[in-house]
Amino acid sequence: MSFLFAPPQQAVIPVQDERYEFFPVRRVYCIARNYRAPGEAQPEAAALGSPLFFMKPADAIVPVADGETFALPFPPMGENLRPELELVACLSKGGSNLTVEEAEAAIWGWCVGFDFARGDLQDAAKRAGAPWETAKVFDRCAPVTHVRPAYRAPMPAPADIYCYVGNEKRQAGNTSQMLRSPAEVIALLSTYWTLEPGDIVFTGTPAGVAPVKRGDRLMGGVNGVGQLKVELV
C-alpha cells in the first residue's frame, strides 16, 4: 500500500508510570449535562430523557504528564472560553447494545480531561438549534492526564472532582452526582454507535463552569485518578 502523503500520526495516551505502554485513541465521545446540582435529588431514570452526545476528533487529545503544565494557545473565533473538567473512561473492549455490566467490563482505565468549548459560539449554536462543532472542536482542545489502569483507580467508587483557576476553586463535586454512571453512559453510547477498543468517553462535568482568559492557569483533577494542569497562552 502506498500513500500520496504520510498518514497522520496515531493519537495515543501514555499509561501512567509505564515508560513503553500507550493507549491508542480511536474516537472521543462526550456527554452534556451529566451532573446534578449540589443538593439536587437524583431524578428517576425515566425523567432523564435522551442524552446529548457529541464527539471530538482523536487529534484533539493532548496527553499531559503528571507535574507538567500544558500551554494551550487561546483559540481564534471566540473570547468566551470555558473549561469543563471531566473523568474520562478508556475502553479496551467494544460492541453494540452493551449491558451496563458489559460496559463496565470494557473500561481498561481512566484519565482526567478538560473539554474546552468556545462558549459564545456554543451559546449561539444552542439558540439556533445548530451543531456544536465550531464550539467544541478546535486544535488541542482536549488535554488529558496519562491513563491510569482501572485496577489502580478507585472507580466506580465515588471520588471528588475539582477545578481551580489560579487560587479560586471553580468546580467542586463528586462522581456520585452523575445523572448516569460511566458504565450507563457507555451502554447508551453503544446503542448509537458500535464501540471499539481505543474509544474514550468524557463523562460530564460538575457545576461551576465559567469563562477563562489568556494567562489563566488551570488545575483540575479526580481523586485517585490524576491531576491536570493547563495554562492559557
Side-chain angles (χ1 to χ4, degrees):
M1 180 185 297
S2 61
F3 297 98
L4 295 177
F5 47 86
Q9 187 175 1
Q10 168 68 53
V12 300
I13 308 172
V15 175
Q16 183 73 40
D17 300 326
E18 297 293 339
R19 188 173 179 182
Y20 299 112
E21 291 188 3
F22 299 88
F23 182 94
V25 179
R26 176 178 175 265
R27 290 181 180 171
V28 181
Y29 294 100
C30 307
I31 185 171
R33 297 190 292 272
N34 194 39
Y35 274 76
R36 63 182 188 273
E40 181 184 358
Q42 178 74 8
E44 296 292 331
L48 290 176
S50 299
L52 197 165
F53 291 123
F54 59 95
M55 295 187 193
K56 290 177 180 277
D59 65 3
I61 296 296
V62 180
V64 183
D66 186 38
E68 294 185 359
T69 299
F70 170 54
L72 174 65
F74 203 93
M77 301 300 293
E79 289 297 320
N80 184 342
L81 185 64
R82 299 174 190 162
E84 301 181 8
L85 195 281
E86 308 197 20
L87 174 68
V88 182
C90 304
L91 309 187
S92 61
K93 300 177 183 178
S96 300
N97 299 308
L98 300 175
T99 65
V100 173
E101 292 74 21
E102 290 170 335
E104 189 165 339
I107 301 172
W108 186 87
W110 304 90
C111 60
V112 177
F114 274 116
D115 165 20
F116 279 97
R118 290 182 272 212
D120 37 4
L121 301 186
Q122 186 176 3
D123 292 343
K126 288 178 180 179
R127 290 192 296 269
W132 288 10
E133 277 83 359
T134 57
K136 286 290 190 176
V137 178
F138 57 87
D139 294 340
R140 297 178 284 183
C141 62
V144 296
T145 64
H146 292 185
V147 179
R148 183 175 294 276
Y151 71 87
R152 289 167 42 199
M155 306 297 118
D160 288 337
I161 178 171
Y162 56 88
C163 176
Y164 286 83
V165 178
N167 294 322
E168 178 188 357
K169 181 179 278 190
R170 293 280 184 90
Q171 292 182 267
N174 190 279
T175 57
S176 64
Q177 295 170 323
M178 287 185 181
L179 298 174
R180 296 178 173 91
S181 70
E184 290 170 332
V185 171
I186 293 164
L188 277 169
L189 273 170
S190 75
T191 67
Y192 291 90
W193 299 278
T194 299
L195 301 180
E196 298 286 351
D199 290 342
I200 68 173
V201 183
F202 281 66
T203 60
T205 194
V209 175
V212 291
K213 62 185 183 301
R214 291 173 179 83
D216 280 344
R217 296 177 67 90
L218 284 58
M219 186 271 286
V222 178
N223 285 357
V225 177
Q227 189 176 91
L228 179 60
K229 296 179 181 179
V230 174
E231 180 179 7
L232 301 172
V233 297

